[in-house]
Amino acid sequence: MLDYHLHLWPHSERETPHSLEQIAAYCEKAQAAGVEELALTEHLFRFRQADALLGGFWNDDSVSPGLARSMEDYWDFHATTDLDTYVTLAAEAQAAGLPVVIGLEVDFYQGRMDDVAALLSGYPFDVLLGSVHWLGAWRFDDLDDPVSMGEWSAREVDACWETYTAALEELAASGTCDVLAHPDLIKVAGYRPDSTVEWWDRMAEAAAKAGMAAEVSSAGWRKPAAEQYPALGLLSRFAAAGVPVTTASDAHRLEHVADHADGLRDVLASAGVDALQGYTARVPRPVAIGVPPTVSPGRSVPPTVSPGRSVPPTVSPGRSVPPDESSVA
Ligand SMILES: [Zn+2]
Ligand SMILES: [Zn+2]
């Protein structure tokens, strides 16, 4: 198993020094859950280099000045550290023998992915995740932000899914990234169209055409969506289209590393997925799903779900999650 989506910072923290000890603790927690390999994938927008390159992109969205102001504040809070320092630390973790690959979670910037690719080409990344976190200046996944969440009642759900899917298609076609992270993140706040079939078909086709993998993530179980990303129907489409998959927790702190690994095993089995894909220097390689670790006496059993079933939601649509790292993906 893999945990190929890990952050070193909670969103609530502006600047926290990273350390090898933190990464070693992530690895230990993962290995106890039968997860042998990790990818460190901090958000691109955490770094000053991203701010220098992309800052102000929110002004392209002239429709929503309130959202643009909110995004400007969000970037000001988050884009505070140095990409070189992060990559150096990840490389040091590798050199120290920790089972990690060097990655990044790259956000989608409409019309600007060539600039993003040029910036990232200078770094020794093993894997790049591609994520659609916002549509224009709208952070549709920021459950703690009332301005962003208020937007859900001002827009048609179908139109949101359409715009999200078009963004995902452009992201995939750009060739900038290797893995589509949380592919149906647009469901995060619990708003779904009556039928998702058209958008699922397009998402699977976009990944297949671009030669990208798709991430199977337990993070959705911690959100109002109350379901892994992607939904089983979308995962089955990825499998049918020959799209390889990774597994991931999207943890932003130790507590969630390898979260619901057994639940993800069940989901993979339900979709008939029997292998994963890892990356070295952005070259894919097969990785075994492996077997769950034996539970020894005195250790708590990790939470599991039955095949095809979601775990019970911890929050309902429209309610904000507690103010921790899990508010955004
Ligand atoms: Zn994300
Ligand atoms: Zn993430």
Side-chain angles (χ1 to χ4, degrees):
M1 281 283 274
L2 303 169
D3 192 340
Y4 251 42
H5 190 150
L6 291 162
H7 299 275
L8 300 174
W9 282 298
H11 283 282
S12 55
E13 292 180 14
R14 189 149 199 237
E15 285 179 89
T16 309
H18 297 143
S19 70
L20 281 183
E21 289 72 24
Q22 182 188 12
I23 299 170
Y26 275 29
C27 293
E28 191 178 341
K29 172 103 193 289
Q31 284 171 334
V35 175
E36 296 93 7
E37 185 180 319
L38 294 76
L40 305 175
T41 59
E42 196 46 81
H43 287 288
L44 172 60
F45 65 83
R46 279 292 192 175
F47 301 104
R48 291 192 295 270
Q49 286 89 341
D51 192 32
L53 182 69
L54 302 159
F57 77 89
W58 45 85
N59 294 321
D60 295 349
D61 188 352
S62 56
V63 179
S64 317
L67 293 175
R69 275 194 301 276
S70 172
M71 183 67 94
E72 185 169 8
D73 291 345
Y74 187 80
W75 265 60
D76 184 53
F77 184 88
H78 282 84
T80 55
T81 194
D82 179 48
L83 183 56
D84 297 61
T85 305
Y86 161 76
V87 171
T88 299
L89 178 72
E92 284 173 3
Q94 272 187 329
L98 294 173
V100 298
V101 299
I102 308 170
L104 199 69
E105 181 173 12
V106 180
D107 322 280
F108 171 64
Y109 300 89
Q110 189 170 24
R112 300 191 185 203
M113 294 313 291
D114 287 350
D115 294 339
V116 172
L119 168 67
L120 301 182
S121 67
Y123 293 90
F125 288 115
D126 290 308
V127 63
L128 295 175
L129 309 184
S131 300
V132 178
H133 288 128
W134 40 65
L135 301 174
W138 178 34
R139 298 194 310 284
F140 65 84
D141 71 335
D142 194 346
L143 303 170
D144 285 337
D145 179 48
V147 176
S148 299
M149 287 303 101
E151 202 62 17
W152 273 109
S153 39
R155 300 192 189 205
E156 294 288 337
V157 173
D158 282 31
C160 298
W161 278 63
E162 170 60 36
T163 309
Y164 173 88
T165 302
L168 184 146
E169 288 169 334
E170 185 182 330
L171 170 65
S174 77
T176 310
C177 301
D178 307 302
V179 182
L180 279 178
H182 39 62
D184 53 353
L185 180 66
I186 190 66
K187 73 187 177 189
V188 60
Y191 297 91
R192 297 169 201 245
D194 292 337
S195 170
T196 51
V197 165
E198 178 201 336
W199 294 293
W200 283 352
D201 286 345
R202 283 170 52 191
M203 290 177 200
E205 190 186 339
K209 261 170 72 178
M212 292 183 79
E215 171 187 281
V216 184
S217 167
S218 59
W221 281 317
R222 307 193 298 269
K223 304 294 171 62
E227 178 183 70
Q228 81 286 340
Y229 308 109
L232 198 56
L234 177 53
L235 179 57
S236 299
R237 281 166 171 77
F238 283 135
V243 174
V245 303
T246 66
T247 44
S249 69
D250 205 351
H252 287 65
R253 61 176 61 167
L254 180 61
E255 176 193 354
H256 290 139
V257 171
D259 197 24
H260 293 309
D262 283 352
L264 292 180
R265 289 176 193 279
D266 292 341
V267 168
L268 295 174
S270 297
V273 175
D274 57 9
L276 304 176
Q277 183 154 288
Y279 290 84
T280 300
R282 304 197 58 202
V283 176
R285 55 182 159 78
V287 171
I289 294 173
V291 294
T294 316
V295 178
S296 53
R299 253 191 60 207
S300 66
V301 182
T304 59
V305 290
S306 315
R309 257 194 53 216
S310 300
V311 294
T314 50
V315 283
S316 340
R319 263 188 52 210
S320 65
V321 294
D324 66 1
E325 89 297 341
S326 63
S327 60
V328 287

